Amino acid sequence: MRYLIGLPLCCLVVSLSLHAHLLRTGEPVPPVKVMHQGEVIYDHNEFSHQSWNSARLPGKIRLIQHIAARTSAREMNAALIETLRKARLPREYYQTTTIVDRGDAFFATGWFIRHQIEASLRRYPWSQIIDDTNSVVRHNWQLKSKTSTIVLLNAQGEVQWAKEGPLTLEEIRQVVSRIQRLLREQDR
């Protein structure tokens, strides 16, 4: 009888560990390069793309939002993004980096997603958007599909906090509080 209870519990623990992401507090994000599409650049009302890699993350406090290219994933943590917009954080020390996982999109939605990325950059030209058409970041960081992941980095590029899925109101407060604390430490 004891073995019958232990086996399902063991299988549950193993299956949960297989879905764990590779983002570790106090460490940089696992290195990754997005060669196809990559960072979307908006300059003089023109859009272009350049390859992007995670080695460029240090230098500013960053909130990384990795989102599946699905409306449900974008809406998952929209309250956090809106809270950060209203906070008017100093752009010289803070930046939001959005990685759009277009490899995790519904079939034939590419044009619509591209239009949304461009509209976001027109509205918020100081933000950074990475167009990951091949899900390179999701696979490399072992993130779940069809969701949103939030990662907070200090100015050295080290993970301070990370969560897959929707944030609670308390978690949103924690993330904003941590960003403000990191900004105060940056001023010293």
Side-chain angles (χ1 to χ4, degrees):
M1 179 70 172
R2 191 168 47 176
Y3 295 111
L4 293 176
I5 294 171
L7 182 61
L9 183 61
C10 180
C11 290
L12 176 66
V13 169
V14 169
S15 71
L16 288 175
S17 67
L18 292 176
H19 295 289
H21 57 72
L22 297 179
L23 305 167
R24 303 287 176 255
T25 302
E27 296 180 11
V29 296
V32 63
K33 292 180 183 179
V34 179
M35 303 302 284
H36 184 259
Q37 296 297 341
E39 184 173 358
V40 184
I41 308 297
Y42 180 59
D43 188 31
H44 296 86
N45 216 22
E46 297 279 325
F47 290 96
S48 61
H49 291 81
Q50 68 181 21
S51 63
W52 175 84
N53 77 60
S54 59
R56 295 188 200 156
L57 291 170
K60 289 186 178 186
I61 296 160
R62 291 187 192 271
L63 181 104
I64 299 173
Q65 175 184 218
H66 180 280
I67 54 173
R70 300 163 179 260
T71 303
S72 59
R74 190 182 75 211
E75 292 172 352
M76 207 173 276
N77 287 309
L80 171 65
I81 301 306
E82 188 57 32
T83 300
L84 293 172
R85 282 188 189 124
K86 289 178 181 177
R88 297 183 182 253
L89 300 168
R91 295 181 198 149
E92 61 272 12
Y93 300 115
Y94 170 83
Q95 187 170 40
T96 299
T97 298
T98 302
I99 302 171
V100 180
D101 184 358
R102 282 212 294 160
D104 192 5
F106 291 114
F107 179 72
T109 57
W111 181 87
F112 176 73
I113 294 162
R114 183 174 152 220
H115 176 72
Q116 291 217 311
I117 290 171
E118 290 176 358
S120 287
L121 273 176
R122 278 190 186 99
R123 189 169 180 195
Y124 308 105
W126 58 86
S127 56
Q128 181 181 45
I129 300 180
I130 313 306
D131 185 358
D132 185 3
T133 56
N134 297 321
S135 304
V136 175
V137 176
R138 176 169 46 98
H139 293 303
N140 201 48
W141 293 355
Q142 294 185 9
L143 303 175
K144 295 177 185 171
S145 63
K146 302 178 181 118
T147 192
S148 169
T149 300
I150 300 296
V151 185
L152 176 60
L153 304 179
N154 63 14
Q156 293 74 41
E158 299 163 338
V159 174
Q160 302 298 294
W161 193 90
K163 182 182 177 190
E164 291 181 289
L167 273 60
T168 65
L169 287 176
E170 181 56 34
E171 288 168 330
I172 291 171
R173 284 189 208 102
Q174 287 175 15
V175 169
V176 173
S177 175
R178 285 175 186 234
I179 291 170
Q180 291 168 337
R181 180 180 47 80
L182 289 168
L183 287 168
R184 282 191 303 274
E185 291 172 4
Q186 188 87 2
D187 283 341
R188 292 182 196 162

